[in-house]
Amino acid sequence: MLKIPPRFFSVYSTLIHILASFLCSSDVRGDFPATRFDLGTLTLSSLKLLGDAHLNNGTIKLTRELSVPTSTAGKALYGKPVKFRHPETKSPASFTTYFSFSVTNLNPSSIGGGLAFVISPDEEYLGSAGGFLGLTEESGSGSGFVAVEFDTLMDVQFKDVNGNHVGLDLNAVVSAAVADLGNVDIDLKSGNAVNSWISYDGSGRVLTVYVSYSNVKPKSPILSVPLDLDRYVSDSMFVGFSGSTQGSTEIHSIDWWSFSSSFDTSESPPPMSNSPPPSSPSSTSITPSVSTVRKKTADPSSSCRNKLCKKSPAAVAGVVTAGAFFLALFAGVIIWVYSKKIKYNQKSESFASEIMKSPREFTYKELKLATDSFSSSRVIGNGAFGTVYKGILPDSGEIIAIKRYWVWGLYREGKLLTAVDERLSEFNQEEMNRVLMVGLACSQPDPVTRPTMRSVVQILVGEADVPEVPIAKPSSSMSFSTSELLLTLQDSVSDCNEVLAPISTTSSSSEHDIFIVGKDRSV
């Protein structure tokens, strides 16, 4: 009979809770997985480019750089369909997207056109240029769509409020809701990078749009609209951007884009009576305030969150018994393997505890010199959170052990909090997540994308949201000017060191790794 050491009781209990959570919250037939991606993980093969749309140095260009005024259109879509409506319940998905874009011009006096974030049922369709933004034909025909437009030209035909506005388009370019971007001091034709956050709450059925020059999300939306999204989308749709020129030389660029969507596991909320009609709506002005969202009515049947609880008792018992058996077998194997490993590595474990008792800061140059440029010949161990190197301090000859973290990898796997020092047994997870996210934002290779000291302080005290950080670490080959580097390098590096100091770590401005260093008494 397998005896479970006391130290593994918590591990075994955790595995049991995982199985219980799975049985209580999963659909045995398989729920639709969440969709998540960003521009840093996309390639040319994962994008659908139509018309004038093309990739240029990691940037999506919707229109081409032409010195002669013209009217053209382009569309760039994520190549795979995204689930926007549940095929059974017909409830809409929740989604959020963040993107940074700019409207530049070879001839500032030649204006006209715009761009839009679009949800489209067809990945091959491209509408007319000009004020139609590539969304629909001049005749009004074309596939249905949901779009948030950023228009640079006032067109009376489409009831535009001015030539600098954001609007919600539902199957037509006559916007259902409009807001003047001048209210938040945004000028689309300035050539500056503009950041936008668009979110849809599938439970509350509200679409919100935020716009800012800063990469920190504003507290108030410029547009907040009640919307029954399921009335305008099919089960699967395509997401991306569409843009056009209207007798101008405007260039519409998407510099960054991230998107995520998922379904609420509870029952679908009742439709809201004040949602826009599915036909071409009339234009209305929306003030930048958050609309009141009606709460869902409690449904006794909603406690059954999956199909398993609707099965017969025998089926439930069979699934539970089989799951418990395989979980127990898996846990037993893990416990046996780790028991052997712990007995064999008691000396190393003692050594590791000594390391954690005496953290000390070193410069990256010192660590590189001590490990012979992190030579493979100096590797003395590998763990779940990094590689351990043997280091020899040149000034004293003291032998140390250096553990190299890979925090970006943990963030990409959704395990960011596992990077926290194990000695911190109690901490506020939200505050720690802010600290680590700020550290990642500060360690990006391009200094222009790093937050300023003021932004860091605002984020850490909870006055501002955490900035968007790509899933994958951006390439260090990204180009930026020397002047930009000189303007931001000092703030970014000092900000990172100041943020990371409380967790006894050292950040390298050249490789952006985190190191834990301790004395080596056994090598």
Side-chain angles (χ1 to χ4, degrees):
M1 180 176 177
L2 178 66
K3 294 183 179 180
I4 302 176
R7 72 180 70 187
F8 290 113
F9 284 156
S10 60
V11 177
Y12 194 80
S13 176
T14 301
L15 292 174
I16 293 297
H17 278 86
I18 291 175
L19 176 63
S21 299
F22 170 78
L23 293 174
C24 292
S25 63
S26 298
D27 188 337
V28 293
R29 294 178 298 175
D31 288 331
F32 294 107
T35 299
R36 185 184 183 192
F37 61 84
D38 60 45
L39 191 56
T41 61
L42 298 181
T43 62
L44 184 61
S45 61
S46 58
L47 287 172
K48 185 69 175 181
L49 302 176
L50 305 174
D52 279 358
H54 61 284
L55 279 178
N56 185 2
N57 293 328
T59 297
I60 299 176
K61 301 283 188 179
L62 299 175
T63 51
R64 297 190 178 275
E65 299 182 11
L66 299 175
S67 58
V68 179
T70 185
S71 296
T72 62
K75 183 181 285 187
L77 300 173
Y78 178 56
K80 297 179 180 179
V82 177
K83 294 291 183 182
F84 273 92
R85 190 176 65 182
H86 199 285
E88 296 179 0
T89 64
K90 299 303 179 184
S91 58
S94 297
F95 74 85
T96 180
T97 185
Y98 161 75
F99 53 94
S100 179
F101 69 94
S102 61
V103 179
T104 55
N105 207 322
L106 298 176
N107 181 6
S109 62
S110 176
I111 60 174
L115 59 94
F117 168 76
V118 62
I119 303 173
S120 170
D122 189 348
E123 78 276 24
E124 299 289 345
Y125 177 79
L126 177 63
S128 301
F132 297 95
L133 303 180
L135 297 172
T136 185
E137 300 287 348
E138 294 184 18
S139 61
S141 62
S143 60
F145 63 88
V146 176
V148 176
E149 68 169 40
F150 297 84
D151 205 339
T152 63
L153 182 66
M154 180 177 179
D155 200 321
V156 179
Q157 176 185 356
F158 304 123
K159 302 180 182 180
D160 291 341
V161 294
N162 59 26
N164 186 51
H165 65 268
V166 58
L168 172 63
D169 298 346
L170 302 173
N171 297 335
V173 289
V174 177
S175 298
V178 181
D180 183 0
L181 286 169
N183 292 337
V184 289
D185 298 324
I186 297 293
D187 181 9
L188 293 176
K189 297 181 285 290
S190 67
N192 295 325
V194 179
N195 299 293
S196 179
W197 298 257
I198 302 174
S199 300
Y200 180 73
D201 181 2
S203 298
R205 307 212 172 190
V206 174
L207 180 84
T208 52
V209 180
Y210 301 79
V211 183
S212 174
Y213 283 131
S214 169
N215 63 352
V216 177
K217 183 179 178 181
K219 292 184 177 180
S220 300
I222 190 173
L223 207 60
S224 181
V225 185
L227 175 65
D228 280 339
L229 185 64
D230 52 299
R231 299 167 64 184
Y232 301 93
V233 298
S234 304
D235 295 348
S236 296
M237 303 284 282
F238 292 87
V239 293
F241 299 91
S242 184
S244 68
T245 56
Q246 189 169 356
S248 71
T249 55
E250 283 187 355
I251 305 167
H252 307 99
S253 306
I254 306 298
D255 302 311
W256 182 255
W257 177 32
S258 63
F259 177 89
S260 62
S261 67
S262 62
F263 281 95
D264 193 321
T265 57
S266 59
E267 294 294 323
S268 174
M272 300 182 70
S273 58
N274 57 344
S275 296
S279 59
S280 297
S282 59
S283 176
T284 56
S285 179
I286 301 296
T287 56
S289 61
V290 179
S291 301
T292 301
V293 180
R294 191 169 58 184
K295 293 184 178 180
K296 296 189 292 184
T297 304
D299 184 358
S301 64
S302 64
S303 60
C304 182
R305 305 193 318 188
N306 53 50
K307 307 301 179 184
L308 180 62
C309 57
K310 297 180 181 179
K311 302 293 183 181
S312 65
V316 175
V319 173
V320 172
T321 302
F325 172 76
F326 285 107
L327 184 63
L329 181 63
F330 176 72
V333 172
I334 290 181
I335 292 172
W336 181 80
V337 171
Y338 271 87
S339 297
K340 295 294 184 180
K341 185 175 181 180
I342 288 175
K343 290 179 181 179
Y344 185 78
N345 293 326
Q346 284 182 344
K347 187 175 181 180
S348 298
E349 186 176 289
S350 175
F351 163 58
S353 64
E354 289 296 324
I355 291 178
M356 299 306 294
K357 291 179 181 179
S358 55
R360 173 184 164 190
E361 287 192 1
F362 292 87
T363 65
Y364 176 76
K365 184 177 181 180
E366 289 175 320
L367 297 178
K368 187 176 181 180
L369 186 61
T371 58
D372 193 19
S373 299
F374 295 98
S375 170
S376 58
S377 62
R378 294 290 184 92
V379 175
I380 59 175
N382 291 280
F385 303 108
T387 303
V388 181
Y389 294 83
K390 174 183 178 181
I392 303 176
L393 297 180
D395 54 348
S396 63
E398 184 179 8
I399 298 177
I400 60 174
I402 303 169
K403 191 173 187 180
R404 202 175 186 182
Y405 263 109
W406 302 100
V407 179
W408 280 98
L410 295 175
Y411 172 59
R412 182 171 58 253
E413 297 172 3
K415 304 175 182 178
L416 183 58
L417 288 179
T418 58
V420 178
D421 193 325
E422 295 178 354
R423 294 173 298 171
L424 297 177
S425 57
E426 296 182 3
F427 59 87
N428 185 296
Q429 293 191 3
E430 181 180 357
E431 293 177 354
M432 182 59 70
N433 186 68
R434 282 179 175 270
V435 171
L436 293 174
M437 289 296 289
V438 168
L440 289 174
C442 290
S443 68
Q444 297 188 77
D446 187 351
V448 178
T449 61
R450 302 172 190 164
T452 62
M453 186 59 198
R454 171 177 288 185
S455 297
V456 168
V457 174
Q458 291 176 337
I459 295 169
L460 292 180
V461 300
E463 294 180 355
D465 291 337
V466 176
E468 294 287 336
V469 178
I471 299 174
K473 179 180 177 182
S475 173
S476 59
S477 61
M478 302 172 74
S479 61
F480 46 87
S481 65
T482 303
S483 59
E484 291 173 334
L485 175 62
L486 294 176
L487 287 173
T488 60
L489 183 60
Q490 182 176 358
D491 284 342
S492 299
V493 175
S494 61
D495 291 353
C496 289
N497 291 336
E498 189 167 328
V499 170
L500 294 175
I503 59 174
S504 301
T505 59
T506 301
S507 176
S508 163
S509 61
S510 59
E511 291 194 7
H512 314 287
D513 296 328
I514 299 176
F515 300 90
I516 295 181
V517 183
K519 294 182 178 179
D520 185 350
R521 298 181 179 178
S522 62
V523 180

